[in-house]
Amino acid sequence: MSPRTVRNGGKEARRFLSWCRAGGKDLRGLRFEDLAAYSAFLVDPQPAPQWISVTKWPRTDPRWRPFAGPLAANSHRQAIVLVRSLLSWACKARYLDDNPGTLLGRMQVTVQGTVKRHLSRAAISILAEAAERMPLARPSDALRRARARFLVALYYLTGIRLQEGVGADMGAISQADDGAWWLHVTGKGGNSRDVPVPAALLAEFQRYRLAFGLAALPAPREALPLLLTTRGAPARATSDTIYQALKRLFAGASAIAHELDNATAADRLQQASPHWLRHSAFTHQVQGKTPLKTVQLNAGHENISTTSRYLHEDDAARHAQTIDAAGIKPL
C-alpha cells in the first residue's frame, strides 16, 4: 500500500469518525440510513464553520477543519469507497457484528443537491384549507371540492406521481387480510408497487366516493377510474385536468397564506407544481425518522441514492446551528 493511499485512508477515516461523533453515532449502531446520510453530508458539509476551512491548518491547531469545501464527484466516490473499506476491516477484526457498508456496494454514488421543491407542513395545511374553501355556486362545484380535498390527501399522503394517480382505478385501494389498506400503482417503466394508505387518506377517499354517489368503499378490483371528471357521466380525468386543478388550488392557497401574513408560504405555494406534493411527502417522512429503505419503497426509487436527496437537514435547525457557531468576539 502506497504512502498516499495510507494518507487518504486516514483522512477519510478521520472525517467519517468526526461526523459520527458530532451526531452521537456509535459504530456498532450504524445503519445503512446513516451511511446514506453521510454520503449526502459530503455534498455540502454543514454547518460550514464546524466542518470547513479553506486554510490548511495543522490538525493540532483548533482552527483545523476536516474539509476545504464540498467534495467533487471523484472525491465523493473515493470517500465512500474508503468508508466501506474501513467498516469491512472493522467487521473482519470483530469490532463490528454487522457491516452496513456492504449495501453501499450496490449504491450508485451520485452527487445531487438535496430536494428544495417541497412545502412545509404549514403550507400543506393551508392547501387543504383552500380545498375546503372552494365555492359551491354550481351543482358540479361540490364534486370539484370533494375531488380537490381527495387530491391533496392522495398525492401528499402517498407521494405518488401525478400520472400514477391518474392511471389508477378505484379498486387500486384495497384491504389486505391483516386489515391494512394499500394503494397499488404502476410507475415508471411499468414497475408496480404498493403504497400504504393512512387512515386520513382512507377517510378522504370515502368522502370523495360518497360525493360522487358511490358506495363508501370500492368493490374488489373495481375498474372505475380513481380520479373522475366532474361533468357528465363518470370518466377518467386526464393528467392535464388534474394538473390544472392542483395549480388552481395552489393559487388559492397562496392567497390564503397572504391573508395569514405568511409571505414565505404564499410564495412557495405560488411556485408549487403537483410534483412538489411528492417531494413534500418524502421530505416529511424522512424528517419523521421513517427508515430510508421504507421511503425508497414508498417512492418507487430504483436506487436509494435518489431517496437520500430527502436527507437534507431542516433549514431552520441548520440556520440556528450556523448562527450559534459564528460570530465576532469583542476585543
Side-chain angles (χ1 to χ4, degrees):
M1 187 179 295
S2 70
R4 181 179 180 181
T5 301
V6 172
R7 286 196 304 273
N8 287 339
K11 177 178 66 177
E12 296 304 336
R14 283 189 294 273
R15 285 173 169 174
F16 179 61
L17 294 174
S18 296
W19 179 83
C20 288
R21 283 194 297 270
K25 302 180 188 299
D26 184 89
L27 283 182
R28 288 187 175 86
L30 284 178
R31 301 170 60 186
F32 177 74
E33 288 85 353
D34 296 317
L35 301 183
Y38 181 64
S39 177
F41 166 80
L42 292 175
V43 176
D44 185 22
Q46 293 293 335
Q50 178 181 342
W51 295 103
I52 296 174
S53 173
V54 294
T55 303
K56 294 183 179 181
W57 303 105
R59 286 203 304 276
T60 55
D61 193 300
R63 293 170 292 181
W64 175 84
R65 298 292 182 268
F67 297 91
L71 297 190
N74 289 339
S75 298
H76 182 279
R77 189 175 297 107
Q78 183 185 43
I80 294 300
V81 168
L82 288 170
V83 166
R84 187 170 63 237
S85 298
L86 171 68
L87 294 175
S88 177
W89 177 85
C91 199
K92 290 176 182 177
R94 300 188 182 278
Y95 290 113
L96 299 179
D97 295 327
D98 298 299
N99 181 8
T102 56
L103 294 175
L104 285 174
R106 303 187 200 101
M107 179 178 172
Q108 178 185 350
V109 178
T110 55
V111 179
Q112 304 181 48
T114 55
V115 171
K116 298 295 185 185
R117 296 177 301 153
H118 61 87
L119 298 169
S120 66
R121 288 179 175 83
I124 294 293
S125 296
I126 294 172
L127 190 63
E129 176 65 20
E132 186 59 32
R133 288 195 195 182
M134 287 177 64
L136 296 174
R138 296 169 296 182
S140 60
D141 287 345
L143 299 183
R144 288 194 183 88
R145 177 191 283 185
R147 188 181 66 183
R149 286 176 55 104
F150 179 58
L151 290 176
V152 175
L154 175 68
Y155 284 111
Y156 170 64
L157 294 176
T158 67
I160 62 173
R161 300 177 179 91
L162 181 74
Q163 188 55 45
E164 291 172 344
V166 171
D169 293 331
M170 291 284 185
I173 295 181
S174 61
Q175 190 175 30
D177 292 340
D178 62 359
W181 286 86
W182 295 85
L183 168 63
H184 184 80
V185 295
T186 301
K188 290 183 177 179
N191 295 320
S192 61
R193 70 186 187 283
D194 292 315
V195 184
V197 173
L201 174 56
L202 185 63
E204 205 58 63
F205 179 51
Q206 292 174 291
R207 180 172 176 168
Y208 163 66
R209 283 178 58 88
L210 290 171
F212 277 81
L214 304 170
L217 292 172
R221 295 181 294 280
E222 185 175 310
L224 190 69
L226 180 62
L227 300 182
L228 297 167
T229 57
T230 56
R231 292 182 180 178
R236 190 180 304 278
T238 65
S239 296
D240 185 63
T241 294
I242 299 303
Y243 182 93
Q244 294 301 332
L246 284 168
K247 283 295 290 182
R248 287 192 293 272
L249 199 57
F250 286 129
S254 179
I256 293 174
H258 276 300
E259 292 175 13
L260 298 173
D261 292 326
N262 191 337
T264 299
D267 181 63
R268 299 287 286 173
L269 285 160
Q270 190 64 45
Q271 295 180 56
S273 72
H275 205 67
W276 283 43
L277 292 176
R278 175 173 169 83
H279 290 324
S280 302
F282 301 132
T283 293
H284 297 164
Q285 285 181 27
V286 169
Q287 288 176 347
K289 306 304 180 185
T290 303
L292 199 63
K293 185 64 179 177
T294 298
V295 179
Q296 180 194 9
L297 294 172
N298 291 341
H301 291 152
E302 290 186 4
N303 199 298
I304 203 167
S305 64
T306 303
T307 316
S308 68
R309 293 181 303 153
Y310 296 104
L311 284 165
H312 54 78
E313 187 175 13
D314 180 77
D315 286 342
R318 180 163 66 89
H319 184 276
Q321 291 166 359
T322 302
I323 296 302
D324 288 344
I328 299 175
K329 295 181 179 179
L331 297 175

